[in-house]
Structures are given as C-alpha cells and as structure tokens.
Amino acid sequence: MSIDTQIAEIQLELPPELEEKRLRALDQLQILDSSPEDRFERVTRMARLIFDVPMASVALLDRDRLWFKMVEGLPLTEVPRAETVCQTTVARTYTRPADPALIVDDLERIPEFAALPGVGGEGGVRFYAGYPLYGPGHQPVGTFCVYDTVPRSFDESQLATFRELAAWAQRELERADDLDRAAEVQRQLLPPPLDGVHGYSVVSMCKPAYAVGGDFYDHYLLDGGAMFTVADVMGKGLGAAILTASVRSALRGASQALDDVNPGIGPQEAVTMVASHLERDFAGTESFVTLFHGRLTASTGRVEYVDAGHGLALIARADGAVESLSGCGLPLGVLVGVSWESEAVTLEPGDTLVIVSDGLLDLLSEDSDAQTVAIFVEEHRDPEALCAAVSALAGASAPLDDVTMVAVRRDDAG
C-alpha cells in the first residue's frame, strides 16, 4: 500500500462538475468554521497514541483552503489548498474508489510533495497517511490524517487500524441527524401528484439546494376545487427544513379545518391563523416565510389567493400574454398581529397559473429581475414542458437556493 517512491497520477484539480458536487456536499454538512468538538479530538488523540506520531487531523477541503476541524501537533487552523497533500487524497477517490487511502513513506521523495511548504527540513513533515471523509451523496469533502517528521511505513495491521480510525472520524462527521435520511423524509412529505380536479392539469417540482431545503409546495382537493401553496422559509439546510415542516402542517390543518366549518372561506383566514399560531416560532428562530396560498374553484376558474411577500406568481394566458399577479402582503413572521387580504383572478380555458420560488429567479437573473421568470414561462407554456425545463436548469447549475414550482392549467370549461 505504501507509495513512497512514486505516484502514478498526482491529481490536484478536479473537473468542474465533480468539484461543484463536492463543494455542495461540504456546504450541506454546515460544519465549516465551527468550533472544535471533543468527539473529533478523541479520534485524533487516539491516532497519535496508537501510531506514536506527533500530528493528526480531521480536515475539510474547501474551494481554496484546507480547514482543520481538529488538529493536534500543528499550530494551524487552515492552510491554502494548493499547499496540501490532502487535495491529492480527495482527488484520488474518483480514480481509486476501491482503496482511496494515500500513504506516503517519505514526502521528500515525491517532487510534487517535496516542494510544498512544511514538507521536509527541520521539524517538517516527512510521513503522510490520509484517508478521505465523505459528505452527503458520498462526495469526498475532507480527510483524516496522521503525520510524522521522519520517514516510516505502515504494515498491514497498522493500515487496518488506520482505516478503522478513519471510519470513526467518518461516523462523527455524519452525525446522528443523518442528512440523507432527513432529505428522504422531506421528500415523502411532498404531496403526491394531484388528480381529480376535472378540467385541470397540475404539475409540480421541488429541488433543494442542499440535502434538505426551506421551500415546499402543497396541493390537495377541496369540495369543488383544490388548494395550492408554494412557500419559502428564510434560510437553507436543516434548520429551515424543520420550520418548513411546521408551516406546511399548520397551513394545511388550518385551511382544512376552516373549510369544514365554512366551505368556501377565503385563504386569508388560514394564513392569518397560521401566522398567529407560529408567532413564537418565527420570533425564536428569527425567521420568516413568504408564501402564495390560493384556492381554486374548478367550475368557474376563479383563484382566490394570498400572496404574503412571495411575488412570484403569474398567469400564462391562452392568447400568449403573461401576467404577473399582484400581491403586496408582508411575509409571515416579520411583524406581530398582521392580517392578510385575499385577491382573486380567473383562469380561462387554456390559461396556466404558475407559482415559483426565488431559487428559479436566482438561476435566471443575476440581478433578480422578475421579468426573466415571465420570459421563461412564455418560452415554456406547456406545464409539463415548463416543469422539465425548470428541473433541467436546476440540475445543470447547482442552485444556491431551493427551486420550487407549481403549474395549474385549465384545460377546458370545467
């Protein structure tokens, strides 16, 4: 396993598409620049004792730096990425996935490594053993390493122990909250395709920027029509996802309960009730949510809606025009004691109501020009084609924010 005399390929840079996936996985961990933790210190301390080495680390490879979550024996918090052996360890996971460990008996014997700062010389690193650590999607995001100031090698027993310690560091990195499992739960909470609204077609999609997201959509049948919601909780990641689940549950529960008592009641009552109910949650998390919440009456095509700071709903008319829907209400959670008023619009046969989140706007416009959304919808008028185009756009460019869309088309007179 030792490769102290030569390395077939010292790969320092990854193809852009692999690097972006890797960096997204790193972002999803939400651990960069966090405080030291005892659970990582126990791993590095044990490694130093077992191998009798002066240095050990758990590090994460960012875009332009190697940041140490825990390091012993080195007075560092981070080093430039270009000055590390760890970037080679990470890159090798794509070319040698079966055995990605990088063990170098003597770094001075490899010209590319010998030229790095801190390698060789008085007190410099000579021996290196690194193993990749993985984030969501099994993307390599960092390394577990041990170092020595003199050349040495690992026998098979030591190599097995090194792998076991790396697996320990990996388990600590994954944490108990398991982002992949959280992402699966969030996907399961999205509603199934909506059928049963005679004369209408409904398509929807949601692509989180991270493993879990702060956007959600919801739709469900009501007597004589259906309810549609697109919401965006401030923030990204697991914290936003937790609040998203609360908003979704509260809004659906309030809407259905009010409809049971007074069928046909406007959506403003449910939005106001939810804002009041979650007032402490918004205040405690210093967060807010924008949303579009509308009720469709299938027989007439009338959509009564509340736009609470969302501002990204429009109608693609059958004659080719694209109209942005008005709405100037505040997001939920900004102020206490706010109420909302509903507005209304009518879908004629061939018209499509489109509601998106600002993640799509970010993909279409660097300066958040909402007109770009209208142009995009005009170019993809069929709901299925629009959904496919949004999904392709989100999948091609690693969005920085969640991307969500619901499109409701009136196919005939209902």
Side-chain angles (χ1 to χ4, degrees), residues 246-312:
S246 297
V247 174
R248 173 191 176 277
S249 177
L251 189 57
R252 178 180 275 225
S255 295
Q256 292 179 331
L258 289 170
D259 190 70
D260 289 342
V261 174
N262 184 6
I265 195 169
Q268 75 276 7
E269 298 291 344
V271 172
T272 301
M273 180 182 292
V274 168
S276 176
H277 179 68
L278 296 179
E279 183 177 296
R280 287 188 60 188
D281 293 348
F282 289 128
T285 58
E286 298 183 341
S287 188
F288 62 84
V289 59
T290 70
L291 63 81
F292 178 98
H293 184 59
R295 177 186 180 124
L296 168 69
T297 301
S299 60
T300 63
R302 176 182 170 86
V303 178
E304 191 175 4
Y305 68 91
V306 168
D307 189 314
H310 198 71
L312 288 171

Side-chain angles (χ1 to χ4, degrees), residues 258-411:
L258 289 170
D259 190 70
D260 289 342
V261 174
N262 184 6
I265 195 169
Q268 75 276 7
E269 298 291 344
V271 172
T272 301
M273 180 182 292
V274 168
S276 176
H277 179 68
L278 296 179
E279 183 177 296
R280 287 188 60 188
D281 293 348
F282 289 128
T285 58
E286 298 183 341
S287 188
F288 62 84
V289 59
T290 70
L291 63 81
F292 178 98
H293 184 59
R295 177 186 180 124
L296 168 69
T297 301
S299 60
T300 63
R302 176 182 170 86
V303 178
E304 191 175 4
Y305 68 91
V306 168
D307 189 314
H310 198 71
L312 288 171
L314 45 82
I315 292 181
R317 296 293 185 184
D319 63 5
V322 177
E323 304 171 4
S324 296
L325 297 188
S326 61
C328 57
L330 289 172
L332 280 66
V334 172
L335 294 176
V336 175
V338 176
S339 61
W340 285 262
E341 297 296 328
S342 64
E343 302 183 56
V345 68
T346 298
L347 295 179
E348 303 294 344
D351 292 349
T352 302
L353 168 66
V354 179
I355 315 135
V356 303
S357 68
D358 59 3
L360 176 61
L361 179 60
D362 292 341
L363 290 176
L364 295 173
S365 172
E366 292 184 357
D367 56 1
S368 299
D369 182 2
Q371 185 60 29
T372 58
V373 177
I375 294 172
F376 189 79
V377 170
E378 188 175 7
E379 294 172 346
H380 306 87
R381 304 186 65 83
D382 177 76
E384 293 286 353
L386 176 61
C387 185
V390 173
S391 298
L393 188 63
S397 54
L400 298 177
D401 200 358
D402 309 324
V403 179
T404 303
M405 186 210 75
V406 171
V408 184
R409 177 172 180 166
R410 187 178 184 185
D411 298 317

Side-chain angles (χ1 to χ4, degrees), residues 130-213:
Y131 202 94
L133 300 175
Y134 301 91
H138 201 64
Q139 294 295 322
V141 296
T143 56
F144 166 70
C145 297
V146 297
Y147 319 84
D148 206 340
T149 56
V150 295
R152 60 179 295 172
S153 60
F154 275 171
D155 59 29
E156 288 300 321
S157 176
Q158 289 172 316
L159 183 58
T161 301
F162 176 65
R163 289 194 182 114
E164 290 175 2
L165 288 171
W168 181 7
Q170 177 68 46
R171 289 192 296 271
E172 296 296 345
L173 191 65
E174 289 171 352
R175 299 173 178 264
D177 52 21
D178 193 343
L179 286 174
D180 287 338
R181 183 170 56 182
E184 178 61 25
V185 170
Q186 190 171 56
R187 285 192 292 270
Q188 293 297 325
L189 288 176
L190 292 173
L194 184 65
D195 298 318
V197 187
H198 178 65
Y200 293 82
S201 302
V202 180
V203 296
S204 50
M205 60 80 62
C206 181
K207 180 177 178 56
Y210 297 87
V212 292

